[in-house]
Amino acid sequence: MKTKKSMMSAAIVQNAVKESFLKLDPRVMMRNPIMFVVEIGFIITLLLILVPDLFGGTVSRGYNLVVTLVLLFTLLFANFAEALAEGRGKAQADTLKKTKQDIKANKVTGNNSVKQVSSSELRKGDIVVVAQGEVIPGDGEVIEGLASVDESAITGESAPVIKEAGGDFSSVTGGTRVVSDQIKVRITSDPGESFLDRMISLVEGAKRQKTPNEIALNTVLTSLTLIFLFVVVTLPFFGNYLNVSLEIPILIALLVCLIPTTIGGLLSAIGIAGMDRVTQFNVLAMSGKAVEAAGDINTVILDKTGTITYGNRMASEFIPAGGHQLAEVAEWAAISSLKDETPEGRSVLALMKKQSLTYNEGLGDNAEFIEFKAETRMSGMDLKDGRYVRKGAVDAVKKWVQSQGGTIPSDLDEGSTRIAKAGGTPLAVAVDNEIYGLIYLKDTVKPGMKERFEQMRQMGIKTIMCTGDNPLTAATIALEAGVDDFIAESKPEDKIAVIRREQAEGKLVAMTGDGTNDAPALAQADVGIAMNSGTVAAKEAANMVDLDSDPSKIIEVVAIGKQLLMTRGALTTFSIANDIAKYFAIIPAMFMVAIPQMDTLNIMRLGSPSSAILSALIFNAIIIPLLIPLAMKGVGYKPMSSPQLLKRNLFIYGLGGVLVPFLGIKLIDLVVHLWV
């Protein structure tokens, strides 16, 4: 999916041409009222060719034929634009379908034996074992083990990623391949509901719904069409009064020229292409509404771990406190981590081994493991001899110890401050009512984050980092990353609270995250972007999934959202400006015979009423394919204020939309007038 497909590849163009004719079906055309009116006009002029005396007109069959052909090509060009946009999505879907295959899965049965079944037989909750070289049979979460997984079929990245039980990197996608080690996976989706199935459906455009802005604009354009239809229907009465003959083919040509056919023919293609551009950046948008909303974002909420930083916080040092020895704090840190399957927990045991430190592993026998929770911010073990071992956030452990009547070592805060100032995360280790020391967890800010956040600032977007770390660590990371604000020691409800606070001020909020605890906030945000490396819960709550797991990509998503809105606005402006120019071309030419004074308005000096209308109709048709590349690629976006963007686009597309038809219609008229 990472590879960008050419917009004009032979296969896509060939299929788009075929679809252009198939879309002439009136049942399909009715979805676009503007182009449906054009099709009705085409049918009427076609009937006039077959039955010239149908309405008793005097317009030549040759003139009718030209009008009919121009109307046909107007329809085909509009259909081609939509089919071309859809074709790129279908080409991506075909690539993904090759990834999807029915494979054999090693399902764990009730008696812990392994039975080989088809992947199509797997259901949510089933557990499978996937070894080196095997394909993961369905979406799931790693519940045991650690392995390198090749996700190139989904993300386009050749480098394998580490997937492990616990933490925020446990989610695996069906169709990816294990390249080392072995993992046990709990299936989280039923057949037909997998992430790959959703990707195929979305990039095909099968579930694309019109966005609120698109519906509103479509309503305005339809209203304009009805107004001009009424105007054209009443024109013959004025013509009769002025002794000007306005026959059916001329009225149809006039109507098609006056209604906003340009934007009407390109509107659907603009929306489809907008979602396609997001996909080209390896972001899967669940709806066009999310892409549009991204263009209006005011605030971005970012999770620190795994988003701003790499997220692989590893134990790098044991720091004693309260007069205890290094071996003591290391031993209790290890015992608290015996059943901790998170990367941090395993890194504690790895550090013990690296430093050749020992501990009594037997203490973990029959002990109860206490999982980490966002509310308590601690984990540990309740030993069978009655002792309680805990490790976690320093303030949380301090409160826990004090609640049991213990005291806080005088040098504890000094050690935690030193770790926090270095940008690390301190974890306190305690047994019952006594704190033994600290674990120094080291994390690293991803390169280039500061520059990326500066770009957001130029767009007028505020960045807020949320983290469970203490205020000092949070402040250090925030300064290094360059975010505008931060919230330390945040719980899931704190993230939701800050999102609601921003939304209450009338702002649109985007949230990026990868953990299960991020899911509620991702659902609350106007635009929720989950990392593909994150948990299933996060991806299900979000309305976008970043396949590259690069949180800074929100910049591209926002730019594409703005580009989508700008493209629609620019082409609407151009289309309406076109109509203004066409009024000056057609109306004076039509009535200057009966009203000589109107010749003053014939500033283009068009040859005759017939050639003026036909020239405007031809221009109206050929402008659609000329604008297709712009609709597909989008209007170029540069970070600047909204008033500056408005002035720039009004000058280019407003003024250009008036001048281009004058020139185009005049050139066409020089040729058409010779024939008419």
Side-chain angles (χ1 to χ4, degrees):
M1 284 188 58
K2 195 90 173 217
T3 305
K4 293 187 179 182
K5 296 172 178 61
S6 169
M7 182 181 69
M8 292 295 183
S9 68
I12 293 176
V13 172
Q14 185 178 358
N15 186 67
V17 171
K18 177 183 175 183
E19 287 292 320
S20 300
F21 285 92
L22 295 177
K23 286 176 179 287
L24 290 174
D25 184 337
R27 292 170 297 181
V28 176
M29 296 300 298
M30 283 180 69
R31 299 172 192 166
N32 188 336
I34 299 169
M35 301 315 295
F36 185 58
V37 169
V38 178
E39 185 168 47
I40 292 174
F42 161 71
I43 293 170
I44 293 173
T45 55
L46 182 62
L47 287 174
L48 287 173
I49 294 173
L50 301 175
V51 188
D53 298 329
L54 184 62
F55 298 109
T58 59
V59 176
S60 69
R61 182 175 290 186
Y63 191 89
N64 278 347
L65 177 61
V66 173
V67 171
T68 303
L69 289 175
V70 174
L71 293 178
L72 174 62
F73 278 104
T74 302
L75 293 167
L76 291 175
F77 289 149
N79 289 344
F80 179 77
E82 183 177 32
L84 191 63
E86 292 173 344
R88 293 200 292 175
K90 289 176 181 177
Q92 291 175 335
D94 290 340
T95 302
L96 289 171
K97 286 175 182 176
K98 293 176 184 177
T99 302
K100 187 180 176 185
Q101 51 184 314
D102 190 20
I103 58 174
K104 295 297 180 182
N106 299 314
K107 179 182 175 183
V108 178
T109 58
N111 56 3
N112 264 349
S113 62
V114 175
K115 178 184 177 183
Q116 198 170 71
V117 299
S118 169
S119 59
S120 60
E121 297 177 30
L122 294 175
R123 295 294 182 272
K124 189 183 294 185
D126 288 344
I127 296 174
V128 296
V129 176
V130 191
Q132 180 177 340
E134 295 179 346
V135 175
I136 297 173
D139 292 357
E141 288 186 309
V142 180
I143 59 172
E144 186 180 304
L146 176 150
S148 295
V149 178
D150 177 9
E151 294 188 326
S152 58
I154 305 297
T155 66
E157 291 288 355
S158 57
V161 294
I162 301 297
K163 297 291 183 178
E164 53 191 347
D168 295 337
F169 299 94
S170 60
S171 171
V172 292
T173 306
T176 56
R177 185 179 297 275
V178 173
V179 295
S180 71
D181 303 295
Q182 178 176 292
I183 50 177
K184 190 175 285 186
V185 177
R186 181 189 293 114
I187 300 298
T188 56
S189 66
D190 291 327
E193 300 175 358
S194 70
F195 186 61
L196 193 58
D197 288 317
R198 284 191 293 158
M199 285 178 68
I200 292 170
S201 177
L202 287 164
V203 299
E204 273 187 320
K207 293 186 179 180
R208 192 187 94 86
Q209 296 179 340
K210 290 184 177 181
T211 64
N213 284 346
E214 196 173 347
I215 293 171
L217 180 56
N218 208 40
T219 302
V220 171
L221 297 178
T222 302
S223 301
L224 284 174
T225 301
L226 290 173
I227 290 170
F228 285 121
L229 180 61
F230 178 77
V231 169
V232 170
V233 167
T234 58
L235 273 180
F237 299 101
F238 290 99
N240 290 337
Y241 177 76
L242 298 170
N243 293 319
V244 176
S245 177
L246 296 174
E247 298 191 38
I248 297 296
I250 293 175
L251 290 173
I252 290 173
L254 176 62
L255 174 63
V256 172
C257 287
L258 295 181
I259 64 176
T261 50
T262 305
I263 186 62
L266 295 172
L267 187 59
S268 181
I270 293 168
I272 297 170
M275 288 190 68
D276 180 67
R277 282 195 296 278
V278 173
T279 308
Q280 293 291 322
F281 276 96
N282 252 17
V283 175
L284 182 65
M286 303 301 175
S287 70
K289 183 179 179 180
V291 180
E292 275 193 359
D296 290 326
I297 288 300
N298 307 107
T299 306
V300 176
I301 312 293
L302 302 114
D303 184 44
K304 188 207 84 171
T305 305
T307 303
I308 291 175
T309 64
Y310 279 109
N312 52 346
R313 298 189 302 178
M314 310 297 285
S316 61
E317 187 181 352
F318 298 117
I319 300 173
H324 291 287
Q325 300 299 311
L326 174 65
E328 289 181 284
V329 63
E331 179 179 16
W332 290 116
I335 290 169
S336 69
S337 305
L338 280 174
K339 296 183 180 180
D340 187 354
E341 288 297 321
T342 65
E344 292 90 345
R346 283 196 292 271
S347 73
V348 170
L349 300 179
L351 182 61
M352 290 285 294
K353 186 176 181 181
K354 181 180 179 181
Q355 296 185 354
S356 301
L357 296 169
T358 60
Y359 60 95
N360 184 2
E361 193 171 347
L363 288 174
D365 295 342
N366 299 320
E368 181 185 357
F369 174 60
I370 307 301
E371 290 187 15
F372 176 87
K373 292 183 179 179
E375 293 78 15
T376 63
R377 294 188 293 137
M378 293 189 300
S379 65
M381 300 274 276
D382 289 351
L383 305 182
K384 61 182 179 181
D385 61 10
R387 285 182 289 180
Y388 303 105
V389 185
R390 294 290 185 273
K391 74 171 188 293
V394 175
D395 64 314
V397 173
K398 284 165 71 173
K399 288 179 184 177
W400 182 74
V401 167
Q402 287 173 333
S403 69
Q404 299 185 78
T407 58
I408 309 303
S410 58
D411 57 348
L412 183 70
D413 288 340
E414 181 185 344
S416 63
T417 300
R418 177 173 69 84
I419 294 170
K421 281 184 175 179
T425 301
L427 296 183
V429 179
V431 181
D432 293 332
N433 63 352
E434 189 174 1
I435 295 178
Y436 278 71
L438 299 163
I439 304 170
Y440 179 0
L441 293 182
K442 207 169 191 177
D443 202 354
T444 308
V445 173
K446 294 180 179 179
M449 294 301 290
K450 195 162 191 172
E451 293 76 14
R452 305 283 272 171
F453 291 140
E454 179 57 35
Q455 290 180 34
M456 286 192 184
R457 209 167 286 115
Q458 291 175 9
M459 293 180 184
I461 298 172
K462 178 183 178 183
T463 53
I464 302 175
M465 180 185 79
C466 289
T467 175
D469 288 335
N470 63 64
L472 194 55
T473 301
T476 303
I477 295 294
L479 182 63
E480 186 179 347
V483 294
D484 296 315
D485 198 1
F486 67 90
I487 299 173
E489 298 176 346
S490 69
K491 298 175 183 177
E493 54 266 29
D494 295 327
K495 296 177 182 178
I496 296 175
V498 70
I499 291 172
R500 287 176 176 167
R501 185 190 72 203
E502 294 289 316
Q503 289 173 332
E505 295 175 5
K507 298 176 181 177
L508 289 182
V509 182
M511 162 84 187
T512 66
D514 55 5
T516 301
N517 63 334
D518 294 326
L522 287 168
Q524 177 66 38
D526 299 285
V527 178
I529 304 179
M531 303 297 104
N532 189 46
S533 61
T535 61
V536 172
K539 288 192 278 190
E540 288 182 346
N543 48 26
M544 288 189 185
V545 177
D546 176 18
L547 302 179
D548 295 330
S549 301
D550 175 10
S552 65
K553 201 183 287 182
I554 182 69
I555 295 172
E556 278 85 5
V557 174
V558 170
I560 291 170
K562 289 183 180 295
Q563 189 180 44
L564 172 62
L565 295 174
M566 283 171 53
T567 302
R568 187 180 296 143
L571 290 183
T572 302
T573 302
F574 187 85
S575 178
I576 294 173
N578 264 223
D579 291 339
I580 294 172
K582 284 182 280 189
Y583 304 157
F584 278 98
I586 299 170
I587 303 299
M590 285 178 59
F591 292 102
M592 64 185 179
V593 175
I595 309 174
Q597 292 85 350
M598 291 196 73
D599 186 54
T600 307
L601 296 177
N602 186 18
I603 56 178
M604 280 191 272
R605 317 313 299 173
L606 300 178
S608 66
S610 296
S611 70
I613 294 172
L614 199 54
S615 298
L617 188 65
I618 293 171
F619 175 83
N620 194 65
I622 63 176
I623 197 65
I624 294 176
L626 292 177
L627 291 175
I628 288 177
L630 183 62
M632 297 291 116
K633 187 179 179 182
V635 174
Y637 171 73
K638 292 181 180 179
M640 61 178 71
S641 66
S642 297
Q644 287 176 312
L645 282 173
L646 181 61
K647 288 178 184 177
R648 174 176 172 266
N649 288 331
L650 280 177
F651 177 76
I652 296 174
Y653 299 100
L655 184 60
V658 173
L659 297 179
V660 169
F662 275 105
L663 179 62
I665 292 171
K666 178 61 179 177
L667 291 174
I668 295 170
D669 182 73
L670 292 175
V671 177
V672 171
H673 179 59
L674 296 175
W675 171 71
V676 174

